[in-house]
Amino acid sequence: MRRALLPAAALAGALALAGCGSGTDSPSGSSKAELTVSGPYMPQPVSADMAAGFLTISNKGGTKDELTSVTSDVAGQVTMHSTVGGAMEEKTSFAIPAHGQLVFKSGGSHLMFEKLKRRPEQGQKITLHLTFAKSGALTVEMPVKSATYNPSTGH
């Protein structure tokens, strides 16, 4: 009986250790979302009460996340929209895939700053608070560019 218990205990120990690995296929070694923001900008608004915003959120981590809300001190509310086939649709969240990106660009998905409290001027920066389902909040400074600004990054 004692001989049968020893191999069973060894097998149970090996299985327990197998569950202690990093559990990730991420080249960065992290199984969490690793979010960064690049290329944020707001074209100077032509309207007194509304503006658009664009940026890229990259996830180098091994777990997807979700952008669930955006706020800014410059607007009464910030909404997120997708544009498909020329039709704009408000969204409550956007997925950011593991090892992927979420791109807000002119003509595509974008942020809408509504009920502006003040009209942002070219050269100023506005503050955004991005909230994610798993990663919490991230604060971003968004420069205000000319109304006709066309970034070299393509968004």
Side-chain angles (χ1 to χ4, degrees):
M1 177 84 154
R2 206 169 165 171
R3 280 189 212 167
L5 288 176
L6 192 56
L11 179 60
L15 289 173
L17 286 175
C20 291
S22 68
T24 178
D25 57 353
S26 171
S28 69
S30 174
S31 62
K32 298 188 304 185
E34 293 179 23
L35 305 177
T36 58
V37 175
S38 61
Y41 76 97
M42 170 188 282
Q44 181 174 312
V46 294
S47 164
D49 62 346
M50 191 175 293
F54 310 102
L55 52 84
T56 298
I57 302 170
S58 299
N59 182 358
K60 294 182 179 162
T63 300
K64 70 178 180 174
D65 207 338
E66 227 180 325
L67 178 62
T68 57
S69 71
V70 181
T71 59
S72 175
D73 60 351
V74 77
Q77 71 179 40
V78 182
T79 56
M80 301 180 286
H81 295 90
S82 65
T83 303
V84 179
M88 187 170 77
E89 181 179 326
E90 187 172 334
K91 299 285 189 179
T92 57
S93 65
F94 277 92
I96 306 141
H99 311 294
Q101 291 184 324
L102 168 59
V103 179
F104 288 106
K105 63 181 181 178
S106 183
S109 297
H110 58 279
L111 302 175
M112 290 300 302
F113 296 80
E114 300 171 22
K115 302 175 187 168
L116 291 177
K117 297 175 183 176
R118 63 178 172 83
R119 192 169 174 181
E121 299 288 333
Q122 182 177 339
Q124 295 178 337
K125 288 185 179 179
I126 64 160
T127 302
L128 291 179
H129 301 284
L130 309 174
T131 303
F132 301 93
K134 296 178 182 171
S135 301
L138 188 61
T139 300
V140 175
E141 293 293 312
M142 178 177 272
V144 180
K145 303 290 189 175
S146 74
T148 57
Y149 178 69
N150 187 12
S152 60
T153 60
H155 76 270

